[in-house]
Amino acid sequence: MVSTSKIKSIDFYRKIPRDLTEASLSGAGLSILAALAMVFLFGMELSDYLSTTTSTSVVVDRSRDGDYLRIDFNLSFPALSCEFASVDVSDVLGTHRFNLTKTVRKYPIDPRLQRIGLEEFHAGSVPTIKSHGDEETGEDIFEHLGEGAAELDKKTFDVYSQQFNVLVVNFYAPWCPWSNKLKPAWEKAAKIIAERYNPEMDGRILLAKVDCTVNMDLCRSHHIQGYPSIRIFRKGNDVRGDEHGQHDHESYYGDRDTESLVAFMVELVPPAVVDGKFQLEDKSSTNGTANAALKRPAPKAGGCRIEGFVRVKKVPGELMISAHSGAHSFDAANMNMTHYVGFFSFGRKTSWRSVHWANDMLPELDTNVDRLTGNIFTSEHENITVCSSIYANISFCLLFDLKPSI
C-alpha cells in the first residue's frame, strides 16, 4: 500500500507557470530580436555558400608524360585548302612553333568530308621566294610590252587548256599587293615566251591570267584561296566529270621576277614534234633539277583533313590552325574556317573500358569526356576559339585563325 500511494503522488504532466505563458512587452522584444538574429545568421551563411573563392596552390606533377602534354586531333575543314593550312603552337612562356609537319598529316577532302584518294598531301619544303617581281625603274613598263598574258574566263580557259600542251595561269586579285608586284614581270615573261614559242604556230605553251574577283566560280573550281597562285596545267592531266572539281596539276613556288619565270617556263616546254619525230632543243642554260624544286602538286580538293598530334608544355597556350603564307594574300571575307572535330584529346589515350567504367561510377563525368568530338563549328567571323581544360588549373585554347599576308 505504501508503494501505491507514492506512484499516485507523482505528476507526469506538470502545469507551466503562469509567468511563462502570459505575454509581456519585454518578451515580445526578445522574440523579435531573436528572429532578426536568426534571419541575419541565415543570410550570412547563404551568402558564404553561394560566393566563389579562388585559391592557388602548387602541386608537383607526377604524371608519366614529363614536362610535355600530348594533344591528339583529327579536324576536317571542308573549305580550307591543304596548300595553306598551317598548324602552329604557342604558349605563355614564349614558345612559338609554326607549320608543324613532323607529326601532322594532311589529306584533301571533298565537301562531304570524304578523302580524295589515299595519298597524303605533301607540300614539301617550299623555297623562300626572294623576288616578288621586277624592280621598279620609274618608267611605265607596260608601254613596251604590247600583248602580254592572255586574259581568260571560264569558256576560254577550257578551250586553251585543251589546245596547249602546257598552260600556265596566274590566278590573281587586283586588290592583292603580291599580285600587283607580280603583274609587270608576268606580262613581260608572257611576251618573251610568246615570241619564242608562237602560240598560233607552236601551241606548246601559253602564259595566261585569271582575275578571281571577276571569275569567282572558275577560281573556286580550281581551289584558289591565296593570291597570286600560279598553276601549271598539262593537256590530258585534268580530271574531268567530277562534281567536286578534282584537278591534277602543279603549283609554282619559285621567284617571281621575269628572268626566273622565263627560265622556268622554258624548262616546261615539251619537245617539238616534226614529221612524227621529237626535235631536241638546247636547254643547257636552264637547270632542270633546280626547276623541279620550284613546283609542287596542287591540292586536288578545296578541303583538308588535318590529323596527328603535337607535344606542348603544360602551361596555358594555343594550338592554332591557320591559313598562312609569306607570299600570298587571302580574302578574309570569303575564307571559311568551318570545321568538324573527329576527335580532340589531351594526354595519354584512355581505353574505352576505363572511360565507361568511370562514367558508370561517376555519371557527372560523362559531360566532360570528349566534349568536342563530333561537333561542327561554323565560321561566322574571322577567328574561332575553342578552349578546353587540361586537368584542374591549366587551359589550352584551340584557335582557328586567318592570317592575311600583305
Side-chain angles (χ1 to χ4, degrees):
M1 296 297 294
V2 175
S3 59
T4 303
S5 61
K6 288 183 178 181
I7 293 175
K8 289 183 178 181
S9 64
I10 297 176
D11 189 356
F12 290 97
Y13 303 97
R14 298 183 61 185
K15 294 182 180 180
I16 300 175
R18 184 183 297 271
D19 55 348
L20 296 179
T21 58
E22 292 182 355
S24 63
L25 185 60
S26 59
L30 290 174
S31 299
I32 294 174
L33 291 176
L36 292 176
M38 287 188 293
V39 172
F40 175 76
L41 292 175
F42 177 78
M44 293 294 292
E45 291 293 333
L46 180 61
S47 176
D48 183 68
Y49 174 76
L50 297 178
S51 63
T52 302
T53 58
T54 302
S55 60
T56 302
S57 60
V58 179
V59 180
V60 177
D61 186 359
R62 301 182 182 277
S63 63
R64 295 178 295 173
D65 295 327
D67 296 332
Y68 291 88
L69 181 72
R70 174 167 169 158
I71 301 179
D72 292 88
F73 52 86
N74 181 303
L75 308 169
S76 297
F77 293 80
L80 176 63
S81 173
C82 291
E83 183 178 12
F84 300 113
S86 175
V87 179
D88 311 325
V89 170
S90 62
D91 58 44
V92 296
L93 297 182
T95 301
H96 297 283
R97 293 182 290 165
F98 300 99
N99 195 20
L100 303 178
T101 57
K102 187 176 182 180
T103 59
V104 177
R105 300 179 300 276
K106 302 174 185 177
Y107 298 95
I109 59 174
D110 61 24
R112 296 194 296 254
L113 308 184
Q114 301 298 317
R115 280 175 52 175
I116 304 298
L118 300 177
E119 296 183 359
E120 176 185 353
F121 178 81
H122 293 282
S125 177
V126 178
T128 301
I129 299 178
K130 299 179 180 179
S131 176
H132 297 276
D134 291 336
E135 295 184 0
E136 297 181 3
T137 59
E139 61 178 343
D140 186 5
I141 190 173
F142 295 104
E143 66 181 4
H144 305 293
L145 293 181
E147 292 294 330
E151 186 77 39
L152 303 183
D153 54 21
K154 180 170 177 50
K155 182 178 180 180
T156 56
F157 179 90
D158 292 336
V159 173
Y160 286 171
S161 62
Q162 297 300 313
Q163 179 179 350
F164 291 90
N165 292 331
V166 177
L167 176 65
V168 187
V169 182
N170 170 26
F171 294 90
Y172 72 97
W175 53 263
C176 169
W178 299 122
S179 297
N180 293 329
K181 288 184 177 181
L182 171 63
K183 184 176 181 178
W186 188 258
E187 296 291 338
K188 190 174 182 180
K191 181 182 179 183
I192 294 174
I193 294 297
E195 291 175 350
R196 187 176 303 183
Y197 306 97
N198 190 302
E200 297 181 2
M201 303 297 295
D202 193 299
R204 285 183 289 170
I205 186 171
L206 177 70
L207 270 65
K209 58 186 178 181
V210 173
D211 185 351
C212 288
T213 61
V214 177
N215 303 281
M216 298 181 62
D217 292 338
L218 176 59
C219 295
R220 189 179 297 112
S221 67
H222 291 284
H223 322 303
I224 304 299
Q225 297 181 4
Y227 309 104
S229 290
I230 301 176
R231 298 290 171 83
I232 305 165
F233 300 87
R234 303 178 191 272
K235 183 190 295 186
N237 281 7
D238 220 19
V239 180
R240 299 287 175 177
D242 188 276
E243 61 177 333
H244 302 299
Q246 298 182 33
H247 299 276
D248 186 9
H249 46 266
E250 299 165 311
S251 295
Y252 173 75
Y253 292 104
D255 289 336
R256 298 171 179 172
D257 58 276
T258 302
E259 183 179 355
S260 299
L261 289 170
V262 171
F264 179 79
M265 302 307 166
V266 170
E267 185 66 25
L268 292 178
V269 178
V273 179
V274 178
D275 297 331
K277 298 181 180 180
F278 290 102
Q279 303 296 315
L280 299 180
E281 299 181 57
D282 182 13
K283 298 184 180 181
S284 57
S285 60
T286 63
N287 189 334
T289 303
N291 285 346
L294 303 180
K295 56 186 178 181
R296 295 287 185 274
K300 296 183 178 180
C304 187
R305 176 176 300 162
I306 305 173
E307 61 182 47
F309 69 92
V310 295
R311 294 185 181 276
V312 298
K313 296 179 180 179
K314 296 179 180 178
V315 295
E318 295 177 346
L319 170 62
M320 180 181 297
I321 311 296
S322 62
H324 178 72
S325 173
H328 297 80
S329 296
F330 302 96
D331 186 1
N334 292 322
M335 292 295 291
N336 185 356
M337 300 298 287
T338 298
H339 55 281
Y340 170 81
V341 181
F343 63 81
F344 194 87
S345 61
F346 299 97
R348 293 177 177 270
K349 292 185 177 180
T350 305
S351 64
W352 284 109
R353 179 178 298 178
S354 300
V355 172
H356 289 313
W357 177 84
N359 291 339
D360 293 337
M361 298 297 294
L362 299 172
E364 61 273 10
L365 290 180
D366 187 42
T367 58
N368 295 316
V369 177
D370 288 340
R371 299 180 64 181
L372 300 179
T373 298
N375 289 334
I376 298 177
F377 296 87
T378 303
S379 175
E380 297 180 355
H381 305 284
E382 295 183 10
N383 298 326
I384 299 177
T385 304
V386 180
C387 294
S388 297
S389 61
I390 304 177
Y391 304 130
N393 59 347
I394 300 179
S395 64
F396 205 93
C397 290
L398 175 63
L399 175 65
F400 299 94
D401 186 27
L402 175 62
K403 288 184 177 178
S405 299
I406 58 175

